[in-house]
Amino acid sequence: MSGTVALFILPLHLALAGPPHVATILVLAWMLSQWPIAHFLSRTGAMNVTIALSSGLFASLVAAVCLMTGGDSSFALLWLLIPPVEAAFATNRKVTIGVSLYCCALFAAVTLLSAGIPQSMTLPPEAGLFASIAAFLYTGMLASRISLDRHRASAEVLKSGTKLDRVSNTVCEVLLELDTDGRLSVLGGPVRRIFGLEPSISDEDWVFQRLNVADRPTYLSSLADVRESREDVLLDVRLRLGSNKPGETGQAEYSRFQLRLRAAQARPDDARRGSVIMALRESEEQAAENTPKQQAHPAASSAHWSLIEEAGARAREQVSAIVDLAALVEHEGKSLSEGSLHQTAQRIRSAGDRSARSLNALLELVPAADGHAQSEFCKVDVADCLAHSSNLIGPLADRLKVSLDMAAAADLPAVLVERKKFRQSLHLILSECVETAGAGAVIRAETVSGASCIELVMTVCNRQSSLNWTAGKSKPVFENAARLLNEAGADLSIRSSLGSGERVVIVIPVRAEKGRPARSTGAVDSSTPWAESA
């Protein structure tokens, strides 16, 4: 562009103003010199060399103008600060340093030679003011360009990091690099989801620290063989899970992994030669154990069906008791006294009440067929529903050695929900927490009453495992519970807190009239993604 302008101006100047001044010739020569620089860039693509040539040429032009207009007192001397700013666009620091040193040399030459070279141009005093303003504006434009380039670079880095995180969370293998100095760095893979920890960049070989003691000799010998022979080695090892370290409180949990060791590809003169690439993948048996099993019915887990069986067994026993008492009255009724008959009738009535409650509980556990469910919204006491679920799931919790702490407030307002689906969702959530908590854990339920809603928070505490409880492996069950709660007029979310794992939160709006929120999805509204976070 500048070369075209110079070719257009030069003939006009010769025709209208005669021979040009030396300063005009310098400026036109500088404008025409941009063509060879652009040609060099198009043929070689050497951007750093091109920036160095362009900045150096501009500095030479400024120095020549300074020599003709007063030397170190010239109006153009301030423009010698601009070439180093232009050189900042290069990706090599040597270009910026070289251009800066070249400008220093030109400034020294202008200062020393200005006394011996006569001034060939006389300019008005206001020329220095306009030249300084122009220099400030041009420097500000260059600074804005540098800021824009940095913004684009940071956006590209963030975009690349997001893609890398997405790929790492999708794959099932963790890639690590072990340097010769013992430092272990993560190249990619879902480390937190698999191991339950986020290792620091400066950590040493934390894989060796988490290896089972029996697998450490094999690991060290295989590592030495890979570095010596540069052939791949495949091992089956056991690694400790969780964020705690040996010696800290908490029971150690180990999982089986396949560890592949491979020598990193590097040049003979590379300082990283000797590093080893490690690929960790869960063994097939361990992956099969950790995969959530498909339920026989989409509306219930295995624990849910066991609750149905227990409720049915209790109802059968109570009905059998009623039949036995009725047979006693039938055969020995005439010989019994009036008091005995009255006592027997009370026993029959008590057994009938227990049987009716067991049958109601059984019917509440049985999922309704799609399209045949009738929504019956009514006022429900949340504390009573929680106590009902606790009593129903108590035998299962005792069998799995899990404690229930249902601390619901007694003065909660009644809520308008669909009774059966609300209770079904409570049974699903509580039974799944009991089944996945582990022996010795405590399931605590607390209620928080607000002006417009009631929050029922369920937390798994006091686990013997070093890992905090997570809802990741129970996603199908909680999704079904979220659908039931949505149809019942409530909402379910999984919330995570630092150091205490995940909590199940049921939000129940307090409404005076019948109605449900306009929601059609049954997905869990989670503040964190489904993950096995520690």
Side-chain angles (χ1 to χ4, degrees):
M1 181 66 181
S2 61
T4 305
V5 174
L7 289 179
F8 177 74
I9 292 177
L10 181 60
L12 291 178
H13 193 283
L14 292 174
L16 299 177
H21 192 272
V22 178
T24 305
I25 295 176
L26 283 175
V27 173
L28 293 177
W30 173 74
M31 296 173 68
L32 288 172
S33 64
Q34 304 302 316
W35 276 0
I37 295 177
H39 179 71
F40 172 77
L41 177 62
S42 64
R43 295 297 299 270
T44 63
M47 180 61 72
N48 291 334
V49 178
T50 303
I51 292 175
L53 291 175
S54 178
S55 302
L57 186 61
F58 183 70
S60 301
L61 171 66
V62 173
V65 173
C66 290
L67 287 175
M68 292 186 299
T69 57
D72 55 357
S73 61
S74 173
F75 72 94
L77 190 64
L78 185 63
W79 284 76
L80 273 179
L81 297 174
I82 295 178
V85 180
E86 289 183 344
F89 288 102
T91 57
N92 193 342
R93 290 183 298 175
K94 294 180 179 180
V95 175
T96 306
I97 296 174
V99 172
S100 300
L101 294 177
Y102 181 64
C103 290
C104 292
L106 290 177
F107 175 75
V110 168
T111 303
L112 296 175
L113 298 176
S114 59
I117 298 178
Q119 183 175 351
S120 59
M121 294 180 61
T122 303
L123 298 175
E126 58 269 15
L129 175 63
F130 291 114
S132 300
I133 293 175
F136 291 146
L137 292 177
Y138 188 63
T139 306
M141 183 186 67
L142 293 178
S144 300
R145 174 67 185 278
I146 293 174
S147 177
L148 179 61
D149 287 350
R150 290 188 62 185
H151 175 71
R152 290 176 178 173
S154 61
E156 289 297 326
V157 170
L158 180 61
K159 183 178 178 181
S160 176
T162 303
K163 290 182 179 180
L164 180 61
D165 292 341
R166 190 179 305 167
V167 172
S168 297
N169 292 327
T170 303
V171 299
C172 57
E173 189 175 62
V174 177
L175 291 178
L176 310 167
E177 183 177 7
L178 181 63
D179 292 338
T180 54
D181 58 357
R183 186 175 56 185
L184 190 67
S185 58
V186 180
L187 300 180
V191 179
R192 184 175 182 84
R193 176 168 62 85
I194 293 179
F195 292 100
L197 80 157
E198 194 68 36
S200 174
I201 300 177
S202 60
D203 279 352
E204 296 181 353
D205 189 356
W206 51 268
V207 169
F208 176 77
Q209 298 174 1
R210 293 184 170 274
L211 274 174
N212 190 286
V213 178
D215 297 331
R216 292 182 179 182
T218 306
Y219 168 77
L220 293 176
S221 60
S222 301
L223 196 61
D225 293 342
V226 170
R227 286 173 173 168
E228 181 69 24
S229 63
R230 307 190 67 81
E231 295 182 357
D232 295 359
V233 175
L234 183 62
L235 303 174
D236 288 330
V237 296
R238 290 162 293 180
L239 285 171
R240 183 188 181 103
L241 304 181
S243 58
N244 66 335
K245 298 179 180 179
E248 295 181 352
T249 305
Q251 180 180 354
E253 286 193 8
Y254 286 89
S255 182
R256 292 187 176 276
F257 289 88
Q258 288 182 347
L259 175 60
R260 182 180 294 276
L261 302 176
R262 177 180 300 173
Q265 300 295 329
R267 299 188 304 272
D269 57 344
D270 195 344
R272 301 177 68 89
R273 181 176 174 82
S275 60
V276 177
I277 303 298
M278 304 167 58
L280 276 169
R281 178 192 293 268
E282 283 186 310
S283 62
E284 297 180 358
E285 297 81 1
Q286 190 69 37
E289 293 178 4
N290 296 335
T291 302
K293 297 180 180 179
Q294 297 293 332
Q295 306 299 334
H297 194 282
S301 63
S302 58
H304 191 61
W305 284 112
S306 65
L307 291 178
I308 293 177
E309 293 176 357
E310 291 180 2
R314 288 198 297 269
R316 188 187 308 113
E317 293 175 358
Q318 291 156 2
V319 171
S320 299
I322 294 174
V323 173
D324 294 340
L325 291 173
L328 177 63
V329 173
E330 181 181 3
H331 292 90
E332 302 179 4
K334 295 180 180 180
S335 61
L336 294 176
S337 62
E338 183 177 353
S340 298
L341 286 174
H342 181 69
Q343 185 179 7
T344 304
Q346 288 182 339
R347 292 170 60 188
I348 293 175
R349 181 177 180 178
S350 177
D353 292 339
R354 292 195 304 271
S355 178
R357 286 195 296 268
S358 298
L359 288 175
N360 289 333
L362 180 61
L363 291 175
E364 287 181 353
L365 289 171
V366 176
D370 295 338
H372 295 83
Q374 296 181 354
S375 299
E376 297 179 358
F377 281 77
C378 60
K379 292 287 186 178
V380 172
D381 186 359
V382 176
D384 180 67
C385 292
L386 191 59
H388 180 268
S389 296
S390 177
N391 294 332
L392 183 64
I393 299 173
L396 175 64
D398 294 338
R399 188 165 60 249
L400 297 178
K401 298 181 181 180
V402 177
S403 302
L404 300 178
D405 182 9
M406 306 289 109
D411 55 348
L412 293 175
V415 294
L416 185 65
V417 293
E418 209 284 327
R419 178 188 180 91
K420 180 177 179 179
K421 292 180 179 178
F422 182 73
R423 286 196 170 186
Q424 281 184 350
S425 61
L426 280 182
H427 300 334
L428 273 174
I429 295 170
L430 193 55
S431 62
E432 188 66 21
C433 290
V434 168
E435 192 178 39
T436 57
V442 177
I443 299 177
R444 182 174 293 113
E446 300 174 346
T447 53
V448 180
S449 179
S452 59
C453 66
I454 296 175
E455 287 191 358
L456 177 59
V457 183
M458 294 188 184
T459 310
V460 180
C461 310
N462 299 338
R463 298 190 73 203
Q464 295 182 1
S465 170
S466 60
L467 295 174
N468 292 320
W469 182 84
T470 176
K473 296 181 180 179
S474 305
K475 183 178 180 181
V477 177
F478 284 110
E479 284 183 345
N480 183 69
R483 179 184 61 81
L484 289 174
L485 282 172
N486 177 253
E487 295 174 357
D491 197 7
L492 175 68
S493 63
I494 306 297
R495 301 178 186 175
S496 179
S497 59
L498 185 63
S500 59
E502 296 178 344
R503 299 175 298 169
V504 182
V505 181
I506 301 174
V507 181
I508 314 161
V510 178
R511 295 184 293 271
E513 298 180 358
K514 292 185 178 181
R516 291 186 298 169
R519 294 169 62 99
S520 59
T521 60
V524 178
D525 182 15
S526 176
S527 59
T528 56
W530 287 97
E532 300 175 14
S533 58

